[in-house]
Amino acid sequence: MSGQAKEQAILDFNPFEGDFGEPGDSILSNKIVTARKPGPCSHCEQEIQKGERVRSMSAKFGDFMRYRWCAACCEAMVAADDDSDDSADPWEAWEARAALRNAQRAQQREGQ
């Protein structure tokens, strides 16, 4: 997959599919950018590094929201959209990234 096609696959992936939605919801910005500062990924909550290529989205879902997804989660978005291998679960990589978030949250709860 070419770089441009890969970026388009990332941008076309709906990370919120089936989660919510109301009339009037709208995507204001959805693009691939270079992170200017570190911060948590919106999906796996791992630290995004300055200079990392990430997906950035601003949206109005009732309230104004901003999201950034790390490079690894972007790769998982591409994998989830790949239906070329019928034997593999295309959502496995995306779910594995969520498992990192869940493990981190559980570890934080235990440490409190």
Side-chain angles (χ1 to χ4, degrees):
M1 179 179 293
S2 73
Q4 190 173 13
K6 183 177 176 180
E7 285 190 3
Q8 192 58 53
I10 293 167
L11 294 173
D12 289 344
F13 181 82
N14 182 356
F16 307 114
E17 180 136 359
D19 288 348
F20 56 85
E22 298 292 328
D25 287 352
S26 61
I27 305 296
L28 306 172
S29 172
N30 185 29
K31 56 190 172 184
I32 304 294
V33 300
T34 301
R36 291 185 285 167
K37 60 184 180 179
C41 172
S42 295
H43 184 63
C44 69
E45 296 180 0
Q46 302 300 302
E47 190 73 8
I48 292 172
Q49 301 301 312
K50 180 179 177 181
E52 185 175 346
R53 295 289 288 166
V54 299
R55 178 180 176 184
S56 174
M57 177 191 284
S58 358
K60 184 178 178 299
F61 298 134
D63 293 326
F64 178 74
M65 305 296 290
R66 300 195 101 180
Y67 304 94
R68 289 191 316 163
W69 291 276
C70 68
C73 283
C74 288
E75 289 293 327
M77 290 177 189
V78 173
D81 194 43
D82 182 11
D83 57 3
S84 63
D85 184 1
D86 293 334
S87 65
D89 177 6
W91 290 90
E92 184 176 2
W94 183 248
E95 291 168 357
R97 300 300 301 167
L100 286 173
R101 175 194 64 225
N102 296 340
Q104 182 175 321
R105 287 180 180 176
Q107 188 176 36
Q108 289 172 345
R109 280 193 302 272
E110 290 173 5
Q112 291 181 1

